[in-house]
Amino acid sequence: MKFNLENKVALVTGGSRGIGRSICTELARAGAAVVFSYRSNASAAEQTQKDIERAGGICRAVEGDVADLGAAETLVGELIRDYGRLDILVNNAGVTRDQLLARMKPEDFDAVIQTNLRGTWNLCRAVVRPMMKARAGRIINISSVVAQMGNAGQSNYAASKGGVEALTRALSRELGSRQITVNAIAPGMIETEMTAGMTADQRALLGAQIPLGRLGTVEDVAHAVCFLASNEGSYITGQVLAVNGGLG
């Protein structure tokens, strides 16, 4: 099934590469005009924009830090000024600062919480008034299987994503009466730049833990986003959709 998002406007944070790039691409293929933010990698952002425009989609890249509430509000304000509406928000921007607890620096814990959790809250806060005024909207937050399973060396990341899932459930109750759905997607192990350097033995060991026997693709996550953003997902809210091949 191809989901129809024609005449919709989507904002994706962290859209310059990996899962974010695929989300932008699939939303554009479904017909949405896509604005995405990136933090620093201008060349990767430019490539995402070119890929989407080459495929006939509408796309704009904007540099900005989601951890900055003022920057988030400016981003949303300018988007609505230029496009007249905002239908879909995908909070994908995230960072890691992995280390065992005994060695983790407090500033590395704070940095992950500030981007992954506070950044998600910032964008939700920035979009809520225009979506409430329109009495419609889709908010989709990207979590992780680590929020459910935990992972040694990722206490900061797991805490941030667990917070994202709790935030998702709370906002779904606040905003449901305005016909705004709020859901999260929790990817498992996905083929990205981070996993490309794994050895064959590491890949085999990981695959043995996944019932489907393989790592997921960025498209697996992007298709789930399109579903939740579409009319077909209109009666789903407050949920965490696991896209993990059965891991965990």
Side-chain angles (χ1 to χ4, degrees):
M1 170 183 285
K2 180 180 178 181
F3 301 110
N4 184 358
L5 298 175
E6 291 183 7
N7 302 316
K8 302 295 185 182
V9 178
L11 171 59
V12 181
T13 67
S16 63
R17 57 184 179 173
I19 291 174
R21 176 179 289 178
S22 184
I23 290 170
C24 291
T25 301
E26 293 303 321
L27 288 172
R29 283 178 179 163
V34 177
V35 176
F36 72 89
S37 71
Y38 67 98
R39 186 171 182 177
S40 59
N41 195 335
S43 61
E46 183 178 357
Q47 187 60 53
T48 298
Q49 191 170 6
K50 286 181 178 178
D51 289 349
I52 292 172
E53 291 174 348
R54 192 179 298 119
I58 300 172
C59 181
R60 179 191 296 179
V62 180
E63 185 176 5
D65 184 359
V66 299
D68 182 338
L69 177 59
E73 291 174 338
T74 298
L75 172 62
V76 172
E78 292 179 351
L79 185 156
I80 293 174
R81 180 197 66 197
D82 294 343
Y83 290 87
R85 60 189 296 164
L86 174 58
D87 304 284
I88 302 158
L89 168 65
V90 184
N91 282 305
N92 172 72
V95 298
T96 57
R97 297 286 188 275
D98 295 351
Q99 185 56 269
L100 295 174
L101 179 62
R103 299 174 182 171
M104 183 177 290
K105 298 177 181 178
E107 54 266 34
D108 287 339
F109 182 89
D110 293 343
V112 171
I113 295 295
Q114 189 70 16
T115 295
N116 299 2
L117 179 54
R118 177 61 190 270
T120 297
W121 185 89
N122 285 346
L123 266 298
C124 288
R125 188 177 189 274
V127 307
V128 69
R129 284 190 173 87
M131 284 188 175
M132 289 174 67
K133 184 177 180 180
R135 298 191 67 85
R138 301 279 190 271
I139 297 174
I140 302 163
N141 302 321
I142 304 301
S143 180
S144 169
V145 68
V146 173
Q148 292 96 45
M149 292 181 61
N151 195 31
Q154 288 194 311
S155 60
N156 49 4
Y157 187 74
S160 72
K161 293 302 186 178
V164 165
E165 293 185 4
L167 175 66
T168 296
R169 289 187 285 268
L171 293 184
S172 72
R173 292 186 174 271
E174 285 190 24
L175 303 177
S177 64
R178 301 299 183 98
Q179 303 306 303
I180 301 167
T181 66
V182 189
N183 293 289
I185 292 174
M189 291 302 302
I190 305 297
E191 293 274 14
T192 63
E193 293 176 6
M194 292 176 63
T195 59
M198 293 171 59
T199 67
D201 288 344
Q202 289 172 327
R203 197 171 287 272
L205 180 62
L206 186 58
Q209 301 176 51
I210 302 172
L212 289 185
R214 66 171 178 86
L215 274 66
T217 67
V218 291
E219 290 80 13
D220 290 328
V221 180
H223 293 158
V225 169
C226 288
F227 166 61
L228 290 175
S230 71
N231 287 336
E232 286 78 7
S234 63
Y235 198 58
I236 301 172
T237 194
Q239 304 304 307
V240 179
L241 176 59
V243 181
N244 61 21
L247 178 66

